[in-house]
Amino acid sequence: MLNDAQTCRQFRANSQACRCDEKRRFRSGVSSPPLFTDRVFKRPVWACRTPFELQACSHGVPVEVRVAIERIHLRKLLKILFLPPAGRQSEVRKDIREDISREAGHEGSGGDFYGPFWADAKRHVFGQADLSDLTESRIRANEGRKNLYPQLRDGFLLWWNERRRWTNEPFEAGRQLKAQFSFPGLDAVVKVDNVLVVRDGRGEEHAVYPYFAPNPAMSDAAARLGLWLLIEALPHVPAGEIRILDVIRGTTYSIDRNPLRGDEEAEFRRRYRDLLNLRDNLLPDYER
């Protein structure tokens, strides 16, 4: 006779296999949208924290767990999609482990690493402080920033001081922009936030979406997909005023320099679907 843990694992494996197969059929256009509109997988007994959860696990009742890769920030998604295959698999495995750790009640390794830098960059843009001074203060407060923060600072200042094309001062903060884009056909949501919106002296707004990753560098192919999604997710912003800034390299991407070809949605969907299927295939490795 199976004990509770064995029953939970067996049910979870069987039900997850059905859900993953159902999701794959939906993504490939074979079937209608799946019954499970949110990606869930069954929390194992070792991660159940309350008597109710333990009983639910033991009786095969799925305990909802949101999977981060299906509710993901655009910058993180672009990074993962354009990594080499080995790096992409490594990132997906890391994502799975972090999900399991969070569901087990363990705190993460820290907050948003890039958030403080980007807040400082915005202050610099609007003349409230000097980014170089702010960066030094951030590093003194946390030695873990001493490698990447100087690279982020130098790249941002390269763009702001030398490569930025709009110069009609004074600059002031524009609208606060954020969106959650439901990706067509994939039962997934891509989050857009932390957009730098600058209103220039003529009243025109310029929207800059940051890409922070040291590797891989933003490429023309990745930028096209990112620009397509930003234009779709922010319909009230003129497409010509949307930029993606590769912060470390101080390089921006826009539709005038990187025109869309018309196949961005299909290519994005294919890449994202493959990533979701990769995750489905790796999840059984983390059954206990």
Side-chain angles (χ1 to χ4, degrees):
M1 184 174 179
L2 298 177
N3 60 32
D4 284 347
Q6 291 170 325
T7 301
C8 181
R9 286 194 291 270
Q10 181 176 356
F11 178 87
R12 183 180 174 195
N14 293 339
S15 60
Q16 182 174 297
C18 292
R19 281 194 292 274
C20 290
D21 181 65
E22 186 178 25
K23 294 260 186 184
R24 277 190 287 266
R25 288 169 58 82
F26 170 54
R27 293 175 197 140
S28 62
V30 175
S31 67
S32 58
L35 175 63
F36 294 87
T37 56
D38 283 317
R39 172 172 296 256
V40 297
F41 59 87
K42 197 164 176 306
R43 181 183 296 162
V45 167
W46 54 268
C48 294
R49 300 188 297 272
T50 68
F52 173 78
E53 290 176 346
L54 181 59
Q55 184 179 18
C57 282
S58 299
H59 288 83
V61 178
V63 177
E64 182 169 335
V65 177
R66 290 193 179 274
V67 172
I69 213 163
E70 285 189 339
R71 293 188 62 84
I72 188 170
H73 289 283
L74 174 59
R75 62 183 65 89
K76 180 178 179 181
L77 180 57
L78 291 175
K79 170 190 171 182
I80 296 174
L81 290 180
F82 284 86
L83 283 169
R88 187 159 55 248
Q89 179 167 307
S90 177
E91 282 291 320
V92 172
R93 288 190 180 278
K94 176 183 175 183
D95 192 71
I96 294 173
R97 291 193 298 269
E98 289 176 351
D99 282 340
I100 292 173
S101 180
R102 280 192 296 269
E103 284 305 308
H106 303 304
E107 295 185 2
S109 57
D112 180 4
F113 178 83
Y114 298 104
F117 169 81
W118 194 236
D120 293 344
K122 290 179 179 180
R123 293 181 65 193
H124 182 91
V125 166
F126 301 122
Q128 299 168 354
D130 181 79
L131 183 58
S132 295
D133 294 339
L134 294 173
T135 300
E136 292 302 318
S137 296
R138 295 289 187 185
I139 294 172
R140 285 196 298 270
N142 184 345
E143 284 291 313
R145 297 167 173 155
K146 66 181 179 181
N147 180 30
L148 279 181
Y149 267 43
Q151 297 181 53
L152 293 165
R153 174 201 61 208
D154 294 347
F156 183 87
L157 292 177
L158 173 64
W159 166 68
W160 182 253
N161 294 333
E162 300 179 25
R163 296 177 174 175
R164 169 175 47 93
R165 288 189 288 174
W166 25 275
T167 58
N168 297 298
E169 298 187 40
F171 298 126
E172 59 183 38
R175 291 172 289 173
Q176 290 191 3
L177 298 178
K178 64 169 53 180
Q180 296 199 20
F181 181 72
S182 297
F183 206 100
L186 286 185
D187 183 33
V189 173
V190 181
K191 295 182 284 187
V192 174
D193 65 3
N194 240 330
V195 182
L196 168 63
V197 182
V198 180
R199 183 180 296 116
D200 66 22
R202 295 188 300 183
E204 296 179 352
E205 288 189 336
H206 311 274
V208 180
Y209 183 79
Y211 175 82
F212 299 115
N215 290 298
M218 178 63 60
S219 63
D220 289 345
R224 283 192 302 100
L225 302 191
L227 288 168
W228 169 81
L229 191 142
L230 288 168
I231 292 168
E232 294 292 317
L234 304 171
H236 301 299
V237 180
E241 295 302 334
I242 294 176
R243 304 281 188 274
I244 296 176
L245 171 63
D246 185 337
V247 179
I248 287 180
R249 283 152 282 268
T251 302
T252 55
Y253 298 81
S254 56
I255 59 172
D256 61 337
R257 293 174 171 175
N258 307 89
L260 304 187
R261 301 189 308 200
D263 62 347
E264 284 76 21
E265 179 178 351
E267 182 182 348
F268 209 146
R269 182 185 296 108
R270 176 184 61 79
R271 287 177 177 271
Y272 199 0
R273 182 178 58 238
D274 290 347
L275 182 68
L276 294 169
N277 288 337
L278 172 63
R279 182 176 183 119
D280 289 343
N281 293 332
L282 293 176
L283 274 172
D285 293 348
Y286 295 85
E287 298 292 336
R288 289 182 55 176

